[in-house]
Amino acid sequence: MFSNYKPTWMVEAIYQITPEQLKKKGIKAVLTDLDNTLIAWNNPDGTEELLNWILEMKNAGIPVVVVSNNKSSRVERAIERFELDYVARALKPFARGIKAAQKKLNLSNEEIVMVGDQIMTDIRGANSAGVRSILVRPIVDTDGWNTRINRFFERKIMRVLLKKHPEMKWRGEIQ
Ligand SMILES: [Mg+2]
C-alpha cells in the first residue's frame, strides 16, 4: 500500500546532495521542486546555501531543472537570479512536467532524479514518471493552506511507509 508515494532516498536538505553522491548512482541531472525544497514558500530570495549548491552543481556539469506546479510568472521570478531552466504548471503527481524536463535534458530515466518535499506531488510524480526520487524536509514548517491539507495526509502515509520499510530513514546524503 502507498508504494506510489515511496521515495528512493530521504535527505534532510537539498544542499546535502553532492555531485559525487549523484555520480555514484549514475545520475547526470537533478529535477527539483521549487517551494519549500529550493526556497521557503514565504521567502523567495533564497539563501547563501542555495547559491553555493547551485554553483557546486554547475561546476560539476550537473544541470538543475526546476519542475514546479506553480505558474510560469511565479517560477520565473523566483529563480531568474539562479539562471536555472524550469518547467512550470508541471501537474505533479502526473508525470507530464517531469517528462517535459527529461526531454529537455535528453537523458534516460536512470540518469535523472526528482527532488521534492511532498510525497503526494513530487515523489508520486517521480514514481509515475519512472524516475528515482529524493524526499527532503520542507525548508519551513508553515505552509500555504492547500499544502497544509496535503501535509495532513502525508503524515499518515509516511507513518505507514516507515513502518513497512524500516530502511527508510532521514540521512545526510543519498546512499
Ligand atoms: Mg514543495
Side-chain angles (χ1 to χ4, degrees), residues 33-39 41 92 115-118 121-122 138 143 147 151:
D33 173 49
L34 177 64
D35 293 294
N36 254 339
T37 296
L38 264 192
I39 56 173
W41 73 280
K92 295 171 288 184
V115 184
D117 68 303
Q118 290 196 264
T121 52
D122 306 311
D143 282 301
T147 305
R151 296 270 182 225

Side-chain angles (χ1 to χ4, degrees), residues 14-19 38 45-60 62 64 81-82 84:
I14 194 165
Y15 319 115
Q16 293 173 319
I17 302 164
T18 64
L38 264 192
D45 286 339
T47 60
E48 188 82 24
E49 275 172 317
L50 171 62
L51 291 168
N52 287 338
W53 182 78
I54 290 170
L55 200 63
E56 197 186 350
M57 290 295 155
K58 257 185 200 154
N59 290 340
I62 297 177
V64 174
R81 83 208 71 179
F82 309 133
L84 297 177

Side-chain angles (χ1 to χ4, degrees), residues 86-111:
Y86 70 89
V87 174
R89 290 244 185 265
L91 296 181
K92 295 171 288 184
F94 299 104
R96 197 178 83 168
I98 293 169
K99 286 292 169 194
Q102 183 177 8
K103 204 167 174 193
K104 282 173 186 267
L105 293 160
N106 195 24
L107 292 172
S108 73
N109 284 11
E110 289 299 308
E111 292 170 326

